[in-house]
Amino acid sequence: MGEIISTREAYGRALCEYGENPDIVAFDADLTICTMSCYFAEKYPERFRNAGIAEANMIGMSAGVAATGKIVFCHTFAMFAAGRGYDQIRNSVAYPGLNVKIVGTHAGLSVGEDGATHQCIEDLSLMRTIPGMVVINPCDADETRAAVKAMIEYKGPCYLRLGRSGVENVTSSFEGYDFQIGKGITLKEGTDVTIIATGLMVQIALEAAEFLQEKGIVARVIDMHTIKPIDKDIIVKAAKETGAIVTTEEHNIIGGLGATVAEVLGETCPVPLIRHGVEDIFGHSGTAQALMVKYGLTKEKLVEKAELAISMKK
Amino acid sequence: MEKEQRNKLLALGMKIREQALKAVQAADSGHIGGSFSEADILAVLYFDKMNIDPKNPREEERDRFVLSKGHASPALYATLALRGYFPVEELKTFRNVDSDLSGHVEMTKVRGVDMSAGSLGQGLSAAVGMAVSAQMYKKSYRVYAMVGDGEIQEGQIWEAVMAAGNYKLDNLMLFVDNNNLQIDGTVEEVMSPYPIDDKFKAFNWNVICIDGHNPDAIADAVEHAKACKGKPTVAIAKTVKGKGVSFMENNVNWHGKTPDSEQYEQAFKEIRERIEELEV
């Protein structure tokens, strides 16, 4: 079993590691020890500023620093980045195409006990509808580190979605794993159905595929770490070769990965598609694990969805 | 300031208004009132005080200007054209579907524009970011920004004001275009921001109250800001919305309305006469 580590922790270490690049500047909105920007802040205090609990201004300041030629990472919870900061991200960052990387941590239900006000299940949707935004949702520590490197090399606005809870490191064990923005990764080959997963649902998808295997169903598993630009080729190939698709995400089934895949399939290669995720309902307080069960984000539910998708094949 | 220089700057303020009005006339759309109230400040900044080179609009060490009240673009575009960033004739394409001169200021397409703005309350944060960057990387450029007095009703403005005071950004100077009018009436009627000076003082800013149509006062305020250490400076500039055209002055209707042909004729006549007076 791989190491258990949250993507925010892996992110904090990666930003610190790549932070030796003198053009990198970081802001946080009083959450450095939660978003883990604290590592960078401690090592490079001259290139870090705390914006206080004022996310709109933090995003605007990030745009201003980026307008002077720097690479800016700004941090807060996903809810207060993509939600509260939406207008600032759209108009001050994305419209002028500035090199700001918005890092939204504590995304999804797995924030846990803080409850619905802090459980952002709309950020992928909000961010991907902004023209020109890159939207990345890594599933584990190694993928997060690779994403940070790729974001630094990519010039332009990006949104990075991270989680609070520990997740198993799974991607490093796959031979030939190569992270590229906009390129999904086939983690398991299959012929009967394809599970396209993003974020911490990738690990659950791998478990579900094993479960299906025992039932004689060979499921393909795709790690879709980039929601935008979406990897159309890998989706179409999966649709043609397996004939049924299930998407799975720790996000509202409206607007996120499932919606993106539906758009691609509808316009290119319509096959049965079942969207697994949060079913247009707000979260609740509870442990992360209890919430995942309560809202059906489990391998058992995912297996049901896969079987449903297969049953819909003509 | 010598009389000759003062008259030159006042004439430039009127020429900015003239070209801004031509742009609005060509588009049959655009914001005149707020363009006219800020024109004299733009004249002093762009033709006297800012360290800029129209031939190198992206020069790293240049001073920056952020028009947070991005709808008052006709005056900024006119200023940039008159300063030599792009041909004055281009102003006639303002708001045209094939033009680079959008309704609200746009940095990626228009030479000389340092920040895109339009959604009120956001530009000041970007200006604070530019000043933070200079502070971090020990650059000597200065950052100027302009907000409207209606715009400061936006909460984000006060987040930015708090941050600039907290970071001690003495390389930042803000102008509040205090023309006292916004779309729905006077700023007091709609949502009073007064007292403006005390609010900035409370956020640890250096505060100056000036006549926003007096080049001496504007220029002195800029020098005063440069000399002030450890604090950002705000010049609360008392201005007249629609300044320069008799029937537009202090009239709330001229925020976003366009004149009819007779009114254009009258407006251009008044502006021309004033320029000729100043250039004698």
Side-chain angles (χ1 to χ4, degrees), chain A:
Chain A
M1 191 166 173
E3 189 191 359
I4 305 281
I5 177 173
S6 67
T7 52
R8 64 183 168 121
E9 173 67 29
Y11 167 81
R13 294 179 195 171
L15 184 69
C16 193
E17 178 187 344
Y18 297 118
E20 62 187 6
N21 179 336
D23 285 336
I24 292 177
V25 169
F27 287 99
D28 200 303
D30 189 42
L31 291 169
T32 59
I33 59 168
C34 308
T35 66
M36 308 318 289
S37 69
C38 52
Y39 300 139
F40 178 91
E42 200 173 312
K43 194 166 176 190
Y44 304 105
E46 69 283 1
R47 285 187 275 124
F48 173 82
R49 292 288 183 277
N50 204 318
I53 309 167
E55 295 80 9
N57 181 52
M58 173 176 73
I59 293 161
M61 291 195 296
S62 300
V65 174
T68 68
K70 307 303 175 190
I71 305 163
V72 188
F73 284 79
C74 66
H75 309 80
T76 181
F77 291 173
M79 189 67 250
F80 313 127
R84 186 181 299 240
Y86 177 80
D87 182 13
Q88 288 73 24
I89 294 170
R90 182 191 186 276
N91 284 311
S92 287
V93 173
Y95 177 50
L98 290 166
N99 203 4
V100 177
K101 319 300 179 187
I102 293 128
V103 182
T105 69
H106 294 62
L109 299 176
S110 61
V111 178
E113 293 81 349
D114 280 349
T117 58
H118 284 53
Q119 291 163 348
C120 194
I121 51 166
E122 305 90 352
D123 52 331
L124 298 177
S125 174
L126 286 164
M127 291 297 102
R128 86 178 177 97
T129 55
I130 298 176
M133 279 295 285
V134 165
V135 180
I136 301 173
N137 182 28
C139 69
D140 71 4
D142 285 343
E143 190 162 270
T144 301
R145 183 170 173 275
V148 173
K149 184 168 181 285
M151 284 164 68
I152 292 167
E153 287 163 4
Y154 172 83
K155 195 173 178 188
C158 297
Y159 175 76
L160 180 68
R161 181 187 222 229
L162 301 173
R164 172 182 180 234
S165 308
V167 285
E168 188 189 351
N169 212 7
V170 292
T171 54
S172 54
S173 62
F174 289 91
E175 213 170 302
Y177 174 89
D178 176 29
F179 183 95
Q180 287 180 55
I181 291 174
K183 292 279 173 210
I185 296 168
T186 304
L187 294 182
K188 180 180 174 301
E189 286 295 352
T191 48
D192 298 328
V193 64
T194 299
I195 303 172
I196 303 178
T198 191
L200 56 68
M201 295 310 289
V202 168
Q203 286 85 336
I204 292 170
L206 288 168
E207 286 173 26
E210 263 181 50
F211 210 54
L212 285 163
Q213 194 92 29
E214 286 166 20
K215 298 183 172 198
I217 297 167
V218 188
R220 182 177 299 187
V221 177
I222 293 172
D223 165 14
M224 196 67 89
H225 51 69
T226 306
I227 305 299
K228 189 181 178 184
I230 193 71
D231 186 348
K232 288 183 185 170
D233 294 346
I234 204 169
I235 296 171
V236 172
K237 187 164 179 280
K240 284 182 178 160
E241 292 175 1
T242 70
I245 307 271
V246 179
T247 57
T248 181
E249 60 197 309
E250 190 199 6
H251 184 277
N252 198 339
I253 54 168
I254 297 174
L257 172 70
T260 310
V261 171
E263 289 160 13
V264 173
L265 290 178
E267 290 182 345
T268 53
C269 183
V271 296
L273 164 70
I274 302 292
R275 294 167 299 151
H276 179 229
V278 181
E279 296 191 350
D280 199 26
I281 185 172
F282 286 112
H284 198 271
S285 280
T287 64
Q289 194 48 45
L291 287 163
M292 296 296 272
V293 172
K294 182 180 167 80
Y295 289 87
L297 299 178
T298 59
K299 70 173 176 188
E300 290 79 10
K301 281 280 176 205
L302 183 50
V303 164
E304 281 176 29
K305 303 281 185 190
E307 288 174 329
L308 177 60
I310 292 167
S311 76
M312 287 163 67
K313 284 199 214 180
K314 279 180 188 147

Side-chain angles (χ1 to χ4, degrees), chain A residues 22-27 46-51 54-57 60-61 63-65 67-68 70 87-88 91-92 95-96 98, chain B residues 60 62 64 102 106-109 114-116 119 122 125-126 128-130 132-133 135-137 141 156 159-160 162-163 166-167:
Chain A
D23 285 336
I24 292 177
V25 169
F27 287 99
E46 69 283 1
R47 285 187 275 124
F48 173 82
R49 292 288 183 277
N50 204 318
E55 295 80 9
N57 181 52
M61 291 195 296
V65 174
T68 68
K70 307 303 175 190
D87 182 13
Q88 288 73 24
N91 284 311
S92 287
Y95 177 50
L98 290 166
Chain B
E60 205 186 337
R62 75 187 187 281
R64 269 83 170 166
S102 282
E106 224 268 274
M107 69 181 282
T108 57
K109 298 202 178 89
D114 292 317
M115 184 66 204
S116 302
S119 182
Q122 297 193 22
S125 295
V128 171
M130 292 173 187
V132 166
S133 181
Q135 187 184 56
M136 284 177 171
Y137 290 92
Y141 65 78
Q156 189 182 344
E159 294 183 6
M162 178 164 51
N166 177 69
Y167 301 149

Side-chain angles (χ1 to χ4, degrees), chain B residues 215-227:
Chain B
D216 293 86
I218 300 163
D220 287 350
V222 171
E223 291 307 317
H224 186 62
K226 281 185 191 169

Side-chain angles (χ1 to χ4, degrees), chain B residues 16 26 53 60 79 86 95 112 126 130 139 144 154 179 200 209 219-220 226-227 236-237 241 262 276:
Chain B
I16 290 167
D53 176 7
E60 205 186 337
T79 303
F86 56 86
R95 288 189 172 224
M130 292 173 187
K139 298 285 180 187
Y144 297 92
E154 289 280 4
N179 61 35
F200 278 91
C209 296
D220 287 350
K226 281 185 191 169
I236 300 162
K241 198 154 185 167
E262 216 171 278
E276 278 160 20

